[in-house]
Amino acid sequence: MDTWISSQPSLSLDLHVGLPPLGRHQAPVALAKPKVLVEENFLQPLKKEPEVAALETELQRMSQENRRLAEALTAVAAKYEALRSQYTEMVAAGATTTGPSSTSEGGSVSPSRKRKTSESLDTAAAGAQQHPHGPHGGEQHPGGAAADQMECTSGEPCKRIREECKPKVSKLYLHADPSDLSLVVKDGYQWRKYGQKVTKDNPCPRAYFRCSFAPACPVKKKVQRSADDNTILVATYEGEHNHGQPPPAPAQQAHDGSGASKNAAKPPSPPRPAAAAAPHHPHLHNHHHHHHQQQQQQDVVAAMSAGAGAPGGAAAAAASELIRRNLAEQMAMTLTRDPSFKAALVTALSGRILELSPTKD
DNA sequence: CGAATTTGACCCGCGC
DNA sequence: GCGCGGGTCAAATTCG
């Protein structure tokens, strides 16, 4: 994590693809050159033909858009930095006084209580007994749900214990198509939806999922669209998986299930090397970033989220590399999809070729 | 027909 | 004590 976002010149680099000469980076993006060709060769020999004019305006439009994107990214980076430093301060303060803060990210997680019925206690106890040896993921429960509840039943002031056990909550922000009503977050695990609720502060319903891969797995997940921007899905993970990564499913629903939440609990196709720590470092990247633009955006946001919680250095580098690549691919895709851009590119290239041709008079 | 999802009802912590 | 609201349960429904 750390300053990966602000220390990545490559980030803004990609956003400036297509801008008028910035003279800033040697963008490894193949699109930079064709644009220069367009300007050099078109405008002079052909003068201001309507096509050229259109192309120019289009270029300007794209430049403006890129600039806006760059500004937005800068703002986001600044906010991120501010939040991060704030968080660091809070952690430092907490470490010198009482200990872990009750919330891990953003601190906005409502104090989730646990149902206190005997049944749920039985379940929790059973879950705890299923892996008493606690190797694997089990030992990664510094304050697992089972332990939490056991403490409570023993008459301890469970409220505070619960607070201290909370840091297992992590949030993941994903970009999602607003027209896609399903609250599907592909993170490699199998989830069973057990509830849905409209909350007070958000008109969009919140979906509740439980990990269905292992019966005793205590992990839960809440997915809700952001109230501010409903293209953003907010997935809140609670707990840690006490089992390994589910095997990858046959690649079929790789690009999202159109049928609402039918796929909500199905594992996604991409094979994932990372193991059980997904909720905290959900590396939704790498293997499927070429599927869709949207999936790429999901990856980017996920990577940013993961980067925010990962130890700096390698993770940051990986995240930034991923982001760079995704942005470049997105832009390339967007541009190549635009027929007018293609036409202009072809014309420019052919014009250039003709110009450079020795058979010119 | 079994498994997954939906959805209304219920539980329970919290603030007043 | 009461109401509110988030979280969970479980019967009904849907789907493969």
Side-chain angles (χ1 to χ4, degrees):
Chain A
M1 53 169 163
D2 293 338
T3 56
W4 65 273
I5 194 165
S6 57
S7 64
Q8 293 302 325
S10 48
L11 264 181
S12 53
L13 171 153
D14 286 334
L15 285 174
H16 285 85
V17 169
L19 277 177
L22 290 174
R24 215 166 126 190
H25 310 287
Q26 304 298 344
V29 180
L31 291 169
K33 290 226 168 174
K35 180 191 69 61
V36 173
L37 286 177
V38 168
E39 287 179 352
E40 280 181 358
N41 302 302
F42 253 167
L43 306 186
Q44 290 168 6
L46 300 179
K47 305 290 178 185
K48 294 270 180 182
E49 289 180 9
E51 198 179 339
V52 178
L55 187 59
E56 266 188 319
T57 52
E58 179 68 12
L59 262 176
Q60 283 176 358
R61 190 185 62 78
M62 292 178 65
S63 299
Q64 285 177 355
E65 198 173 330
N66 279 331
R67 213 170 298 140
R68 259 183 288 130
L69 282 171
E71 285 168 7
L73 182 67
T74 309
V76 167
K79 282 183 186 173
Y80 167 78
E81 273 307 308
L83 273 176
R84 197 185 61 82
S85 56
Q86 210 175 331
Y87 171 74
T88 310
E89 282 176 22
M90 284 172 60
V91 168
T96 54
T97 55
T98 40
S101 57
S102 57
T103 56
S104 60
E105 289 182 35
S108 61
V109 180
S110 61
S112 69
R113 68 182 204 339
K114 289 283 179 270
R115 208 186 182 79
K116 278 269 109 359
T117 64
S118 55
E119 288 151 43
S120 61
L121 281 178
D122 287 347
T123 326
Q129 284 172 356
Q130 289 223 344
H131 45 86
H133 40 290
H136 226 48
E139 67 182 9
Q140 296 183 356
H141 292 222
D148 180 6
Q149 306 217 0
M150 277 158 61
E151 286 282 357
C152 288
T153 54
S154 65
E156 289 295 309
C158 55
K159 210 183 274 181
R160 192 181 143 202
I161 292 171
R162 208 174 278 153
E163 293 253 322
E164 289 177 355
C165 294
K166 264 320 163 199
K168 294 192 297 109
V169 175
S170 63
K171 279 192 175 185
L172 177 62
Y173 297 86
L174 305 166
H175 191 279
D177 189 343
S179 63
D180 182 10
L181 299 176
S182 65
L183 295 168
V184 178
V185 173
K186 301 182 198 105
D187 54 14
Y189 288 90
Q190 293 181 351
W191 300 96
R192 162 176 279 202
K193 188 176 181 180
Y194 66 89
Q196 180 165 319
K197 192 119 188 156
V198 175
T199 56
K200 189 186 166 191
D201 53 342
N202 192 337
C204 302
R206 174 183 297 168
Y208 299 90
F209 297 91
R210 241 192 292 262
C211 180
S212 64
F213 181 69
C217 181
V219 179
K220 288 174 193 164
K221 177 173 84 168
K222 292 178 283 191
V223 181
Q224 187 174 32
R225 289 188 183 277
S226 168
D228 298 331
D229 180 358
N230 68 353
T231 64
I232 301 292
L233 277 180
V234 182
T236 306
Y237 293 87
E238 291 180 30
E240 292 179 32
H241 295 277
N242 59 7
H243 54 83
Q245 176 76 13
Q252 194 175 23
Q253 48 214 346
H255 57 332
D256 181 25
S258 48
S261 52
K262 269 293 143 213
N263 291 347
K266 304 273 200 298
S269 50
R272 300 188 32 206
H280 291 255
H281 304 288
H283 304 289
L284 295 180
H285 57 269
N286 277 347
H287 300 284
H288 53 296
H289 67 269
H290 53 280
H291 283 334
H292 280 71
Q293 192 170 343
Q294 182 179 338
Q295 186 59 51
Q296 289 168 6
Q297 288 172 334
Q298 283 196 0
D299 293 347
V300 169
V301 182
M304 290 174 79
S305 174
S320 67
E321 174 64 23
L322 170 68
I323 289 168
R324 272 174 42 205
R325 221 177 294 154
N326 283 342
L327 282 171
E329 284 182 27
Q330 280 180 37
M331 297 210 177
M333 228 185 297
T334 306
L335 289 173
T336 52
R337 265 194 214 132
D338 185 353
S340 62
F341 176 82
K342 269 193 213 169
L345 188 59
V346 169
T347 316
L349 285 173
S350 57
R352 177 72 170 169
I353 291 169
L354 284 177
E355 189 187 7
L356 293 179
S357 156
T359 62
K360 189 171 65 170
D361 265 38

